[in-house]
Amino acid sequence: MKCKILLSAVLALCNLLALYSADVFLAGNESGLYEISVGGVKHIWGGAAVYKIVKAADRRLFLTDRGIAVTDDLKTFSFLNASLPKKIVKHIDEKGSRTFVEKMPQLKDLEVHPSNPDIFVTASSSKVFLTTDGGKSWLDLGANGVINGIKAVNVLDMPDGAGKSRLTVFVSHALYGTAWM
């Protein structure tokens, strides 16, 4: 009963936000992506579980269980995983047949540069990845620790010692704290 009341309150708040917002109000969960409006909640994409939604200029990026998804129109979705690392998982079915399935490692965070929507950064639990071309290619930046534990990343321009603006990536690690490059 408490869950239904809480869910109703959240939906009412989302409807109020959507009423005063010029943009679409989006929400994601393990079932996919939902559009919330005064008219109700509409399921608009079920291609992956959605953990985070980030707006980058006219497109939206989604941190999902299948990597990073992107859309310009909330109708067609694609993934930007081409040069991100994959893992191979052995699957044994009930008859004992073995198959190997390529999967994305779970990504922990996704952030877009505040003034350049083609630059964004993501991380697995052990490595940080940067793109400067809108996700077409990724640069492996490594990590600030020798064990898994990356929790969050960010990217922006910061002044160096001479005052010149430089692209800077921040990473937060559970054991090693915060580092930047």
Side-chain angles (χ1 to χ4, degrees), residues 15-164:
N15 281 334
L16 184 61
L17 289 172
L19 180 64
Y20 292 104
S21 172
D23 207 2
V24 175
F25 190 83
L26 300 173
N29 68 9
E30 65 277 347
S31 301
L33 185 66
Y34 295 84
E35 180 181 308
I36 301 173
S37 66
V38 176
V41 178
K42 180 173 129 184
H43 188 254
I44 58 174
W45 184 60
V50 177
Y51 303 128
K52 186 171 187 175
I53 304 166
V54 180
K55 191 165 183 181
D58 292 334
R59 62 185 182 163
R60 289 179 180 83
L61 303 169
F62 305 94
L63 183 64
T64 76
D65 63 340
R66 293 182 48 210
I68 298 173
V70 63
T71 183
D72 295 328
D73 57 8
L74 295 176
K75 291 176 179 50
T76 56
F77 294 81
S78 60
F79 286 92
L80 303 175
N81 302 331
S83 59
L84 286 172
K86 313 283 189 294
K87 62 182 179 181
I88 306 297
V89 177
K90 180 169 57 171
H91 176 74
I92 302 174
D93 65 14
E94 59 277 348
K95 296 179 183 177
S97 299
R98 293 181 199 152
T99 56
F100 295 93
V101 180
E102 187 176 88
K103 292 183 79 175
M104 283 293 301
Q106 181 61 52
L107 298 175
K108 301 295 181 182
D109 197 10
L110 171 67
E111 290 295 333
V112 175
H113 190 280
S115 61
N116 187 340
D118 286 332
I119 299 174
F120 42 99
V121 64
T122 190
S124 65
S125 64
S126 61
K127 291 187 177 184
V128 178
F129 304 95
L130 172 73
T131 182
T132 58
D133 59 7
K136 294 175 188 155
S137 64
W138 293 89
L139 176 63
D140 181 346
L141 299 179
N144 62 327
V146 294
I147 59 172
N148 293 349
I150 293 175
K151 300 297 179 192
V153 290
N154 203 345
V155 62
L156 65 150
D157 291 324
M158 296 283 292
D160 64 9
K164 185 175 179 187

